Structures are given as C-alpha cells and as structure tokens.
Amino acid sequence: MTRQELIEKAIRYTLHTPDNYITAEQAISPDLAGLQIYEAPIFAFGAAEDEAFTGLQDPQVIGPHFRLPRQWLAQARTVVSLFLPFSKDVKQSNARALDWPSAEWLHGRIEGQICSDGLCRYLQAELINDGYPTIVPTLQPEFVSANFSSNWSERHVAFICGLGTFGISKGLITEKGMAGRLCSLVTAWETPPDTRAYEDLYAYCIRCGKCARNCPAQAISPEHGKDHPPCSAFLNITKEKYRPRYGCGKCQVQVPCSDRRPGNRAL
C-alpha cells in the first residue's frame, strides 16, 4: 500500500461512513439530523525509531509511563498521525455563544469520537489485510489515561510526526487549525517520515490570548498556558448538564487557529 492509497482510503471512509453524519435518532434536536461532523482528514507520518519519542519519557515532558511505538508493537516501523477537522457547522455553532457548548459540538465530541475510532479501526484492518501488523494505541487494553496524562499522547505524537505544534491552550495547531480530533496508528508498514517544519513547541501559535479570553472556566492564561483542574471541573459540569454528552471547545472557536495555522516560527 502506498501513502497516497492510505490517505485516499481514509478520506473516502470519512466522507461516506454513516458514523460521520448524525441520524434522526441520535439528534439532540430534529434540525440536527444529517449534521456532518468531520471534513476530510489530514496526515503526518513519523518513524517509529525517532528519538523524539524517547524524549517524551522525560518526567518534565510526559514521563516514563509513556510507551514507545515499539513497546506497543515490536515490529513497528511507522507512526501514522491524523487530524479530523470539525465541519464548518460544528465550529460555527460553538462560536455563537461562549458560555455552554453547542448541540453540534456535543455531537462532535461524542459521536465524533465514535467516528474517529471507526476510521482508525478501518485503516488498521486495511493495513493488516495488506500484511502489516498494526495497532491503535488508544483502543488497546493497555492504554491508560489518568491525572491529565496518558501512556500515549495524541498531541505529542502528532507534534513528532510533523502534523503541527501546540497552542497555549495545549491543543495542537495543524494546517487545518485545532478544532477537531487527533488519532494515530502504529504499524509495521513503512513509509518515509515527514520532516518536521519546526522546532519550537509553539511555532504555529501567535500567543494572541483569544483562547484564554474565550475560556468559560478561566483555565488558560497567556503566561502559563492551560491549567487542567479548572478545565476538567467545567467539563464535569457539562457532563451533568448534557448527559450522556459533554464538551466545551471554546478555546478552539473564534480564535485565529480554529481552522488554519496562523503562525510559522520555522526552523
């Protein structure tokens, strides 16, 4: 399988799977039936042996609990990172008011996760069928996320693969912005790794502070970035208010990096 074939398979799946469209049965309100969650995904490819992954085991970055690609899959050659941008309807709806998440955003957070998981399983199956052992770390029983840290961080993995850099909200800014979902696969399939067009963790962030002003939990500051506990506390409130859904995303809308890459402090 070529890189382009993999990308084309992912795009076709995303734009045609029923999971990317809200059904009448799922819809929070009747007018949301048919809502498209994601636009076409974008990709970056990293080498499983990239020493930058080992750097994530530094206690000042993630910590020793971060599992390297070859700790997930002994035959690993490539890490595939992809970003699924939310559709214009999802983003625009959540920008209309900055107090509570829009219904469209709630669908994007919950049904959107189902869709992105389905895409990863589909790509995993395609690679396995082509003869390449492949896993999705976040869907493995060994995946652990606790105390605002995990043993496989989609954002850090995407940074290493060349997909984008961090913003002060700690989201990842890609060429399609940060409003969307990240996911990844570790595979024995091999393709040349992408070159990171940056060194600075915040190369694509212009530090405008708009995400901090948008945050209903006041959990972000231009000087210190995001403070996880107040953000998490606000999400817990939305879980009670919108159960079984939850979300916020105000730091990802009405900001310069919502759907594009505003900065570029390159190498």
Side-chain angles (χ1 to χ4, degrees):
M1 185 183 305
T2 68
R3 177 187 295 215
Q4 191 57 38
E5 286 171 341
L6 184 74
I7 292 172
E8 289 174 359
K9 284 175 181 287
I11 291 173
R12 283 196 299 270
Y13 177 93
T14 302
L15 297 182
H16 295 289
T17 178
D19 286 344
N20 196 26
Y21 301 89
I22 300 302
T23 66
E25 293 74 22
Q26 293 170 324
I28 294 172
S29 60
D31 59 304
L32 295 184
L35 172 73
Q36 180 177 337
I37 301 172
Y38 294 124
E39 298 172 358
I42 59 173
F43 282 76
F45 301 87
E49 68 271 17
D50 192 324
E51 292 183 359
F53 287 114
T54 305
L56 298 182
Q57 294 183 321
D58 186 317
Q60 299 301 313
V61 185
I62 294 178
H65 60 284
F66 178 82
R67 295 185 63 171
L68 303 176
R70 286 182 176 167
Q71 290 177 301
W72 290 100
L73 181 71
Q75 311 97 306
R77 302 293 294 173
T78 300
V79 178
V80 181
S81 179
L82 55 150
F83 176 70
L84 288 151
F86 281 136
S87 69
K88 184 180 293 186
D89 286 340
V90 171
K91 288 180 285 196
Q92 289 183 344
S93 69
N94 206 39
R96 294 189 190 112
L98 295 177
D99 48 1
W100 299 107
S102 69
E104 292 90 337
W105 191 270
L106 294 171
H107 277 306
R109 180 63 185 84
I110 303 306
E111 281 79 8
Q113 186 66 58
I114 294 170
C115 180
S116 64
D117 287 349
L119 171 60
C120 284
R121 289 190 178 99
Y122 166 73
L123 294 177
Q124 177 187 24
E126 290 294 300
L127 286 163
I128 290 173
N129 288 342
D130 229 28
Y132 303 103
T134 301
I135 66 158
V136 182
T138 57
L139 299 181
Q140 295 297 112
E142 297 86 357
F143 176 69
V144 177
S145 180
N147 299 319
F148 312 116
S149 184
S150 65
N151 58 1
W152 184 257
S153 168
E154 299 288 14
R155 294 171 300 125
H156 290 82
V157 166
F159 175 87
I160 290 172
C161 290
L163 196 56
T165 77
F166 292 87
I168 61 171
S169 67
K170 296 191 179 176
L172 196 90
I173 303 171
T174 74
E175 66 180 40
K176 292 290 186 178
M178 68 159 54
R181 302 292 293 170
L182 291 162
C183 51
S184 60
L185 303 94
V186 176
T187 177
W189 172 72
E190 189 168 13
T191 189
D194 290 321
T195 300
R196 289 189 289 276
Y198 45 75
E199 288 183 350
D200 186 348
L201 283 172
Y202 300 96
Y204 298 160
C205 178
I206 58 175
R207 295 183 178 272
C208 65
K210 188 68 167 63
C211 58
R213 295 191 292 275
N214 284 1
C215 179
Q218 298 183 326
I220 306 168
S221 75
E223 298 79 18
H224 305 293
K226 180 180 176 180
D227 186 15
H228 284 295
C231 174
S232 180
F234 183 75
L235 285 176
N236 286 336
I237 293 172
T238 69
K239 285 180 181 179
E240 293 299 319
K241 184 176 177 68
Y242 298 105
R243 192 177 297 277
R245 296 178 178 84
Y246 68 95
C248 176
K250 301 305 179 181
C251 60
Q252 300 177 37
V253 296
Q254 277 196 25
V255 292
C257 55
S258 180
D259 54 13
R260 63 186 177 90
R261 184 184 66 198
N264 191 10
R265 295 189 297 280
L267 295 173

